[in-house]
Amino acid sequence: MTDTIGTSAFTIPQERKIVTAIPGPASNALHERRLAVVPVGVSSVLPVYIAKANGAILVDVDGNQFIDLGAGIGVTTVGHTQSGVVDAATEQLHDVTHTLFTVTPYEEYVRVAELLAEHTPGDFPKKTMLANSGAEAVENAVKIARKYTRRTGVAVLEHAYHGRTNLTMAMNFKAAPYSTGFGPFAGDVYRAPNSYPYHDGLTGVEAAARTIAYLEKTVGAYDLACLVVEPIQGEGGFVLPAEGFLPALQQWCTENGIVFVADEIQSGMARTGEYFASTHFGLVPDMVLSAKGIAGGLPLAAVTGRSEIMDAALPGGLGGTFGGNPVAAAAAVAVFGEIERLGLLAEATRVEQTLSHGLLELAKKYDIIGEVRGVGAMIAIELVQPGTGDTTKEPNGAAVTALAAYAAAHGLLILTAGTYGNVLRFLPSLTISDALLEDALSVLDDGFAALAAGELA
């Protein structure tokens, strides 16, 4: 990728640059205004206020430029203000901004559905409904599965994250901060053990047998409408299951009439070097959920599934006022086009090679890096207490907090994750250059060295 990414509006040099303390005075002034009118529950990873963004660079109101390794938590996969997306959305703004598809439809919605039918795993007939957010996609998938199977039970896995609505809060593994104090929650949700090779040491077959036995004993296959899984867990810490785990679960679901739902909200849309991460595991889900990267920064989500399942709902049973908004849908069509035009599936593999290599080199130097894992531009490192990596693998959340703060102060935005807050996750744009990745790795190296020297709080 080039070091300067252009758009129809402006160009930002793709480089890290810090000109003030972080946060700077203008960000601090905005933050004071924010505290008076925005609830504390709407928190921010880094309280710098962004004025512009382009490619893999964020520019704050003080003129500082940050390398963005979060991409809005996997949203700007094609890059910030990517020209194809900006131009498509701008053109659509001049045509139609809203009619509501369930009142008077339009082509853009249909085209997104066609593209998802083409690019999701499986060669059977598929249909798609569009919504606004990932949590909405999860909610709709569950209600469609319930209608189709005439069952009520919903199975999820340990360390899962599915959203902040009432049902999805019940489906999440970690309570704080997502569901603490917000109950009562939706019922008929059952949480089963996941495959977490770094910690459980089980093969995929062994882990699947444990999961299936748990579900059969606690709820029974006959009462389950669906099993909802993230092929690669996001908030859980980019947990990759052992080989064979997910196919075994899918086979069990198929044999028992349970709808297998792949929550690809974070892992989908080319992020892992395939359009959907399910492909890496040989999965052909009954339903695939998309959001985040699907529209290049505009709010859009999708439930794509087997036609016979999707048609279970009565006319009027699916939809919503803004679901499949024509501007967001036009942006999504452009995203599919840009993935092909820019060869972003291959670029995801390039990002993985550069980033994983650098992180593995850091792991040789710093024993608190317990594991480097991930696929494509979805890579994480799990940090453990010094000297415990080969034994207890005790979580080191304090190190993650300190390193994220150090990185921010030096112009690098990285995200934290993991049930115990001890994972650093990297979700860069697929258009990020190797030069920016190597610069980011150098900042991390300096941060780890400062931590080892006792210089970080």
Side-chain angles (χ1 to χ4, degrees):
M1 290 284 104
T2 61
D3 292 332
T4 302
I5 306 294
T7 75
S8 56
F10 57 85
T11 299
I12 296 174
Q14 299 293 286
E15 61 187 18
R16 178 171 59 95
K17 182 174 68 175
I18 296 298
V19 297
T20 71
I22 303 299
S27 279
N28 282 328
L30 275 169
H31 197 62
E32 287 301 312
R33 291 169 54 190
R34 170 215 183 115
L35 292 175
V37 294
V38 179
V40 295
V42 185
S43 60
S44 297
V45 172
L46 176 61
V48 296
Y49 287 73
I50 303 305
K52 294 182 179 180
N54 184 221
I57 295 293
L58 302 171
V59 184
D60 73 7
V61 291
D62 291 286
N64 298 297
Q65 296 193 183
F66 298 83
I67 301 174
D68 183 9
L69 294 188
I73 312 189
V75 169
T76 55
T77 304
V78 298
H80 288 284
T81 59
Q82 201 278 336
S83 58
V85 175
V86 170
D87 291 345
T90 301
E91 182 177 352
Q92 185 61 43
L93 280 166
H94 289 292
D95 292 338
V96 178
T97 58
H98 177 78
T99 68
L100 179 50
F101 189 78
T102 56
V103 176
T104 53
Y106 37 86
E107 181 183 1
E108 291 74 22
Y109 190 118
V110 176
R111 184 59 185 144
V112 173
E114 290 173 339
L115 288 165
L116 284 166
E118 178 184 347
H119 290 96
T120 49
D123 58 4
F124 43 80
K126 304 168 195 166
K127 293 187 177 182
T128 291
M129 68 150 294
L130 299 181
N132 301 294
S133 69
E136 270 193 71
V138 175
E139 291 254 0
N140 278 283
V142 169
K143 77 178 191 181
I144 294 167
R146 283 172 165 168
K147 184 69 168 63
Y148 175 73
T149 62
R150 301 184 182 275
R151 305 173 184 176
T152 59
V154 178
V156 293
L157 299 178
E158 290 176 344
H159 309 292
Y161 175 82
H162 297 291
R164 290 182 175 90
T165 59
N166 186 266
L167 174 60
T168 55
M169 283 190 296
M171 295 169 67
N172 294 341
F173 180 72
K174 185 166 70 174
Y178 305 116
S179 60
T180 302
F182 293 147
F185 303 111
D188 268 0
V189 176
Y190 304 90
R191 186 172 296 109
N194 187 27
S195 171
Y196 199 152
Y198 180 60
H199 286 282
D200 62 33
L202 299 177
T203 67
V205 172
E206 292 167 340
R210 179 180 63 172
T211 301
I212 292 167
Y214 180 89
L215 288 172
E216 288 183 336
K217 180 173 291 187
T218 58
V219 56
Y222 182 80
D223 286 329
L224 280 177
C226 58
L227 170 62
V228 184
V229 304
E230 300 161 275
I232 302 173
Q233 292 186 321
E235 172 63 19
F238 289 10
V239 179
L240 268 72
E243 183 178 357
F245 174 73
L246 292 176
L249 292 187
Q250 182 175 19
Q251 181 179 352
W252 176 73
C253 285
T254 300
E255 291 171 351
N256 289 279
I258 302 165
V259 177
F260 187 92
V261 182
D263 179 343
E264 295 252 23
I265 289 161
Q266 190 164 154
S267 61
M269 293 308 296
R271 176 148 295 279
T272 64
E274 298 283 355
Y275 268 96
F276 292 93
S278 293
T279 304
H280 292 289
F281 303 100
L283 296 176
V284 182
D286 298 309
M287 283 186 187
V288 175
L289 310 184
S290 311
K292 290 190 181 293
I294 192 172
L298 278 73
L300 191 70
V303 181
T304 303
R306 295 177 182 271
S307 293
E308 65 272 20
I309 297 176
M310 298 299 294
D311 279 339
L314 297 174
L318 303 176
T321 300
F322 295 106
N325 170 272
V327 179
V333 173
V335 165
F336 277 99
E338 294 302 286
I339 289 171
E340 295 298 325
R341 185 179 73 85
L342 298 173
L344 293 186
L345 297 179
E347 291 299 299
T349 301
R350 171 188 61 82
V351 170
E352 177 186 353
Q353 292 170 346
T354 301
L355 192 53
S356 292
H357 173 76
L359 292 172
L360 287 168
E361 289 300 308
L362 292 180
K364 295 176 182 177
K365 297 172 64 174
Y366 306 106
D367 70 349
I368 66 169
I369 300 178
E371 184 178 41
V372 178
R373 58 176 178 255
V375 182
M378 194 174 184
I379 306 294
I381 52 176
E382 181 166 343
L383 303 190
V384 296
Q385 296 294 337
T388 70
D390 295 325
T391 54
T392 64
K393 302 173 183 176
E394 184 180 348
N396 194 342
V400 163
T401 300
L403 285 164
Y406 178 92
H410 292 80
L412 176 61
L413 175 62
I414 52 178
L415 302 174
T416 62
T419 298
Y420 305 103
N422 67 318
V423 175
L424 288 171
R425 57 175 162 171
F426 306 96
L427 285 162
S429 159
L430 305 186
T431 63
I432 192 171
S433 67
D434 282 345
L436 279 183
L437 289 172
E438 289 162 0
D439 188 23
L441 288 163
S442 73
V443 173
L444 280 173
D445 194 355
D446 292 342
F448 274 106
L451 185 67
E455 298 171 3
L456 300 187

